[in-house]
Amino acid sequence: MAKFKLTRYRIQTGDGPGRPLQPFSAILLSDLHNAVFGEANCALLQAIRSEKPEAIFAAGDMLTSTQVPQMDAALALMEELTKQYPVYYVEGNHEYKVRHFAEIYGAEAGADGVRYFEELERFGVHLLKNSCERTEIQGMPITVWGLELPWQCYRRFQRNELTVSQVRELLGEPEKERYNILLAHNPVYFETYAAWGADLTLAGHLHGGAVRLPFFGGVITPQFQLFPRYDRGVFERCGKQMVVSAGLGCHSIPLRVNNPPELVVLNVM
Ligand SMILES: [Fe+2]
């Protein structure tokens, strides 16, 4: 059976409206790429349930966008999770491609793409498409945002800028009196997310840098950039935080060295 490790991060929300009355747990899922841990993902589900999370945040690439998309395990996991928890979901580059399947591969493949999102909606997943939803956990007013990044943010061999005004155009303004959690698949734009006003950004995409070296960390990104800064872990900038998951799966070249699949638990206090 494929194995994963559980990584736990303490998230200090600071003073003001962001502080919960009691600490609580939430789960960050990213880059599942349709992977399975135990029959019908029972090992993953068991690990999630044992944390008693208040919410699940899915930061994209839950499926893999091959011409016949690999999505059944991703859908089955989402269906199970939504029976117990609110699941907030933003697309990654693989969902982006699936959403545009009809243009890329024709109508038949396009129908798979349509089915994927229809199923998520049927399960009651909170799909955040450049939109937000308000919730309250342990008395803490939270606004969860989902940023659908423009395709140029995923181009290979190059890094395109993403400005605060672009994010503002897509999302509007953050809600200053609430704690703003931003789901954004690609972590390389952390400075922009923080400057926009995200108190906590949740991301993935880089798969921990595929190969992890002692002292250097992750080696390469899906866009073939070397030694990425935000490969996995917690980062802070001017009081704003970002958690980057190393992801749970692989695609194309199944390469993870010294870099096991990772389930992230957020202990928010
Ligand atoms: Fe990705």
Side-chain angles (χ1 to χ4, degrees), residues 9-15 18-20 140 179 199-200 236 239 241 267-269:
Y9 297 115
R10 286 159 64 101
I11 303 298
Q12 304 275 2
T13 53
D15 297 324
R19 177 159 283 198
M140 176 179 175
Y179 189 73
D199 297 298
L200 175 65
E236 189 155 347
Q241 292 168 292
N267 294 130
V268 184
M269 53 195 72

Side-chain angles (χ1 to χ4, degrees), residues 237-257:
R237 186 182 175 85
C238 305
K240 310 291 190 191
Q241 292 168 292
M242 175 172 73
V243 175
V244 182
S245 166
L248 282 154
C250 288
H251 63 90
S252 311
I253 307 163
L255 182 67
R256 297 189 76 107
V257 178

Side-chain angles (χ1 to χ4, degrees), residues 4 6 27 29 43-53 56 77 81 85 263:
F4 60 90
L6 189 146
I27 297 288
L29 295 174
L44 195 55
L45 283 162
Q46 193 183 354
I48 292 170
R49 286 175 184 139
S50 67
E51 295 297 322
K52 300 186 171 56
I56 311 284
L77 181 68
L81 289 173
Y85 312 107
L263 175 66

Side-chain angles (χ1 to χ4, degrees), residues 31 61 93 185 205:
D31 302 86
D61 281 7
N93 47 312
H185 183 61
H205 185 50

Side-chain angles (χ1 to χ4, degrees), residues 152-161 186 188-189 221 223-225:
Q152 59 265 29
C153 293
Y154 296 116
R155 289 240 167 87
R156 286 180 174 171
F157 302 107
Q158 54 180 284
R159 184 188 153 158
N160 287 279
E161 287 309 308
N186 192 342
V188 304
Y189 303 106
T221 75
Q223 284 136 284
F224 301 107
Q225 281 137 358

